[in-house]
Amino acid sequence: MVDIHWLEPAQDILNILNTTILATATLAPKVFAGYSAKPFISTCLAFDPLQYVSNAVLNIQEFIPAGTTVSFPDNDPSCSRPSQIVSVDICRIALEIKTSDRSSVIFENWLPSEWTGRFLTTGNSGIDGCVKYEDVDYGVMHGFSTVGSNNGHNGTGGFAFYHNDDVLEDYVWRSLHTITEAGKNLTGAFYLSPPTKSYYIGCSSGGRQGIKAAEMFPKDFDGIVAGAPAVNFNNMTSWRASFYEKTGPANSTDFIQASIWMGLIHDEVLRQCDTIDGVEDGIIEDPSLCSFRPEALICGAGGSIGADCLSTSQVRIVRKVLSPLYGSSGELVFPSMQPGSEFFAVQKLYSGIPFPYSLDWFRYVVYSNPTYTLSQFSTSDMTAAQSLNPFNVQTYPSDLIPYAKRNSKILIYHGLQDNQITSYSSERFYNHLARGTSLSSTEMDKFLRYFRISGMFHCNSGPGAWMIGQSSSGSTIFNPDENVLAAMVRWVEEGVAPEVIEGTKYVDDLKENGVETKRKHCRYPYRNTYTSGDANLPESWTCIYR
């Protein structure tokens, strides 16, 4: 049943939010600008999206006023997105687009009443099929016609891949390309003008999707913002799987409890490495300079294991956890976890429970065996995953020159306390691309820049200045000096590349509590270096070439 209707506006909230959007969406003139509420509603409800997207079924078409809380009763509970507050007046179009005779994509296109002429595609995360409604709203909040999807299946698990390569292909690349083409068609038809520029934003698996798009479809986007990209996917999946063997099960004799990782071990990491950057602030500015020695925690005479020291076996576990993953011939499979990420790593990687995304990937993709467990995980499993590499999910290109030749840009960011994908992976990927294209860092800078965000966990949050505009939760202002999406817009449209990204940390992450710290995060291979003065102020730091 198609749902086409107009929701009543919450007028006070609508006025406040419209004032905010007009103040911030100023990087380009509006193409479809300022119709009064009723004509925009009429335009929305009279529009026929099925004229412009083939093999599709219309699920919802509605005008939604700013301030409305939209519920998603059919959304898989594992997505943890039952509703979303819509920030500006939009026309919402939801379709189901067939991608084969046994696969389809749930597609959302939110078209704002105040349009900048820009188009934005949003990504997913993990191995999931969850529309990131918060990212779709973030796009329309800043005047983008914005699309998102379930990436070809519903929920956060991998069972949908079981004996269905079409769903798997949607996950790897087809869903993103499909919704991008559909969204551009709808946007041009709705506003009677094609998008002037097209952008992408995503983190984790969403970061991988952005790199895959640049690799396979260099014409899809003018600018890609890829956070903590899950590139080198097969080996990353094996790396995550390996932690169950490294830590041992949660009920094993020498298992290290979360409280010990977060207390004793994390405190020792900071004791050894926090002041390398010249400031004792609980943040390791560059973990690659930290050669953490867990042996300092071995219990001596009279020591109490767990309270103030570790057993020899537990120290071996710490050493394994913080070591790279190697293959059967001694080759590097995936780099090590950076020290300092202990607080959130205990939730999954160090939990003594198989990492769920890796477990599902091996069960339903690599081996097509729902009873497979990670208890005997070995190098043969790594080889099997890499050998299968369905639809080149590996996503580890050594050459993105076709994308660069279009004068298109990529901005990568990665938190240096990432608890799910080691930040060393992005550094390795950058160098992999440089070698594959025979480009110096100066030449790489022309189309790709990588920013290392100290004190940030996986994609967001953390003790550092992590708010860089990567999402609505990480946004302070739509300013190209402090917002990665705005920085990308300026780079693409004005040719001004970001030299640094200034991050913000509020006290307790609440804006009303005031700013705790600001820091200008450097692009790789520059290193943020303390000079003098108040370390919470950005001018107390400078970028020095490594």
Side-chain angles (χ1 to χ4, degrees), residues 92-108:
R92 178 193 179 198
I93 296 171
L95 307 175
E96 181 176 358
I97 305 173
K98 294 286 289 183
T99 53
S100 76
D101 59 1
R102 59 176 185 166
S103 61
S104 62
V105 173
I106 299 300
F107 162 90
E108 292 267 356

Side-chain angles (χ1 to χ4, degrees), residues 239 321-322 335-339 341 349-350 418-420 422 424:
W239 175 76
V321 162
L322 296 177
S336 62
M337 174 62 90
Q338 75 279 312
S341 57
L349 292 179
Y350 304 175
D418 194 310
N419 49 289
Q420 291 197 36
T422 175
Y424 299 155

Side-chain angles (χ1 to χ4, degrees), residues 251-379:
N251 60 356
S252 58
T253 303
D254 295 313
F255 180 74
I256 301 173
Q257 299 295 330
S259 60
I260 299 175
W261 279 109
M262 297 167 65
L264 180 68
I265 297 172
H266 184 68
D267 289 347
E268 180 63 21
V269 169
L270 294 181
R271 190 190 70 80
Q272 293 186 27
C273 298
D274 185 10
T275 57
I276 291 174
D277 55 25
V279 178
E280 187 174 1
D281 57 358
I283 298 168
I284 302 173
E285 192 64 30
D286 187 347
S288 68
L289 298 178
C290 174
S291 299
F292 177 59
R293 181 176 174 272
E295 288 76 11
L297 291 172
I298 293 176
C299 287
S304 175
I305 294 176
D308 52 17
C309 59
L310 300 177
S311 69
T312 302
S313 296
Q314 288 175 322
V315 167
R316 290 195 188 101
I317 289 172
V318 176
R319 177 65 72 181
K320 285 197 298 182
V321 162
L322 296 177
S323 295
L325 183 65
Y326 294 100
S328 57
S329 300
E331 74 281 10
L332 177 63
V333 172
F334 208 75
S336 62
M337 174 62 90
Q338 75 279 312
S341 57
E342 296 78 30
F343 251 78
F344 273 23
V346 298
Q347 295 180 352
K348 289 185 177 179
L349 292 179
Y350 304 175
S351 67
I353 299 171
F355 193 82
Y357 302 153
S358 293
L359 181 60
D360 274 15
W361 189 260
F362 278 96
R363 279 181 169 175
Y364 303 120
V365 178
V366 177
Y367 293 128
S368 294
N369 176 8
T371 65
Y372 171 83
T373 70
L374 292 176
S375 59
Q376 301 298 320
F377 184 80
S378 68
T379 56

Side-chain angles (χ1 to χ4, degrees), residues 337-470:
M337 174 62 90
Q338 75 279 312
S341 57
E342 296 78 30
F343 251 78
F344 273 23
V346 298
Q347 295 180 352
K348 289 185 177 179
L349 292 179
Y350 304 175
S351 67
I353 299 171
F355 193 82
Y357 302 153
S358 293
L359 181 60
D360 274 15
W361 189 260
F362 278 96
R363 279 181 169 175
Y364 303 120
V365 178
V366 177
Y367 293 128
S368 294
N369 176 8
T371 65
Y372 171 83
T373 70
L374 292 176
S375 59
Q376 301 298 320
F377 184 80
S378 68
T379 56
S380 63
D381 298 299
M382 302 179 208
T383 301
Q386 181 69 324
S387 297
L388 184 65
N389 190 25
F391 306 105
N392 193 22
V393 69
Q394 175 72 344
T395 314
Y396 209 55
S398 58
D399 183 352
L400 291 176
I401 295 301
Y403 181 82
K405 281 184 175 179
R406 296 188 63 255
N407 203 29
S408 298
K409 313 299 183 185
I410 299 174
L411 188 158
I412 296 174
Y413 68 89
H414 206 138
L416 299 188
Q417 287 183 225
D418 194 310
N419 49 289
Q420 291 197 36
I421 304 175
T422 175
S423 60
Y424 299 155
S425 173
S426 287
E427 181 176 325
R428 187 181 181 218
F429 176 55
Y430 178 98
N431 292 328
H432 172 75
L433 272 177
R435 290 192 301 271
T437 53
S438 298
L439 295 178
S440 67
S441 293
T442 301
E443 292 168 319
M444 289 276 285
D445 275 350
K446 294 176 182 178
F447 81 98
L448 185 149
R449 295 190 174 204
Y450 164 44
F451 293 86
R452 302 187 303 158
I453 313 301
S454 59
M456 185 169 80
F457 298 143
H458 188 57
C459 295
N460 55 61
S461 69
W466 65 269
M467 302 179 78
I468 56 170
Q470 68 271 52

Side-chain angles (χ1 to χ4, degrees), residues 82 149 172 382 503 505:
S149 81
V172 174
M382 302 179 208
K505 169 75 172 178

Side-chain angles (χ1 to χ4, degrees), residues 8-300:
E8 285 294 334
Q11 191 62 46
D12 290 342
I13 299 176
L14 183 152
N15 290 337
I16 293 170
L17 289 171
N18 278 350
T19 300
T20 301
I21 189 68
L22 289 172
T24 57
T26 57
L27 288 175
K30 293 186 287 292
V31 177
F32 181 88
Y35 280 15
S36 63
K38 291 294 183 181
F40 181 75
I41 296 166
S42 301
T43 300
C44 174
L45 301 183
F47 184 65
D48 182 5
L50 297 184
Q51 286 190 40
Y52 309 101
V53 182
S54 59
N55 298 318
V57 174
L58 179 62
N59 291 335
I60 297 173
Q61 183 173 344
E62 61 185 352
F63 167 76
I64 303 176
T68 302
T69 299
V70 180
S71 297
F72 310 114
D74 298 325
N75 204 19
D76 191 287
S78 66
C79 292
S80 300
R81 290 175 174 87
S83 63
Q84 175 65 45
I85 298 175
V86 178
S87 297
V88 297
D89 289 357
I90 65 165
C91 182
R92 178 193 179 198
I93 296 171
L95 307 175
E96 181 176 358
I97 305 173
K98 294 286 289 183
T99 53
S100 76
D101 59 1
R102 59 176 185 166
S103 61
S104 62
V105 173
I106 299 300
F107 162 90
E108 292 267 356
N109 189 180
W110 292 10
L111 302 127
S113 62
E114 300 286 350
W115 185 49
T116 59
R118 302 183 184 111
F119 175 80
L120 178 68
T121 298
T122 62
N124 303 90
S125 59
I127 57 170
D128 72 28
C130 300
V131 181
K132 300 191 77 171
Y133 291 102
E134 66 275 21
D135 287 353
V136 178
D137 182 71
Y138 183 56
V140 295
M141 183 191 303
H142 296 299
F144 296 80
S145 170
T146 309
V147 299
S149 81
N150 73 339
N151 212 22
H153 66 287
N154 294 318
T156 58
F159 181 75
F161 303 142
Y162 188 45
H163 293 315
N164 193 328
D165 284 349
D166 289 307
V167 172
L168 184 58
E169 188 169 10
D170 283 345
Y171 168 79
V172 174
W173 68 266
R174 186 166 55 188
S175 173
L176 191 75
H177 181 61
T178 297
I179 67 170
T180 299
E181 289 194 322
K184 287 181 180 180
N185 289 342
L186 290 175
T187 298
F190 184 84
Y191 294 114
L192 305 180
S193 178
T196 56
K197 295 294 180 182
S198 298
Y199 298 92
Y200 173 83
I201 191 166
C203 190
S204 193
S205 182
R208 182 200 67 80
Q209 288 173 292
I211 301 301
K212 176 57 72 177
E215 179 185 19
M216 292 185 68
F217 303 103
K219 295 181 181 180
D220 274 3
F221 302 112
D222 300 292
I224 291 170
V225 178
V231 294
N232 195 7
F233 180 87
N234 300 310
N235 291 328
M236 181 206 70
T237 301
S238 291
W239 175 76
R240 286 169 154 180
S242 72
F243 281 90
Y244 183 56
E245 182 275 329
K246 291 177 179 179
T247 65
N251 60 356
S252 58
T253 303
D254 295 313
F255 180 74
I256 301 173
Q257 299 295 330
S259 60
I260 299 175
W261 279 109
M262 297 167 65
L264 180 68
I265 297 172
H266 184 68
D267 289 347
E268 180 63 21
V269 169
L270 294 181
R271 190 190 70 80
Q272 293 186 27
C273 298
D274 185 10
T275 57
I276 291 174
D277 55 25
V279 178
E280 187 174 1
D281 57 358
I283 298 168
I284 302 173
E285 192 64 30
D286 187 347
S288 68
L289 298 178
C290 174
S291 299
F292 177 59
R293 181 176 174 272
E295 288 76 11
L297 291 172
I298 293 176
C299 287

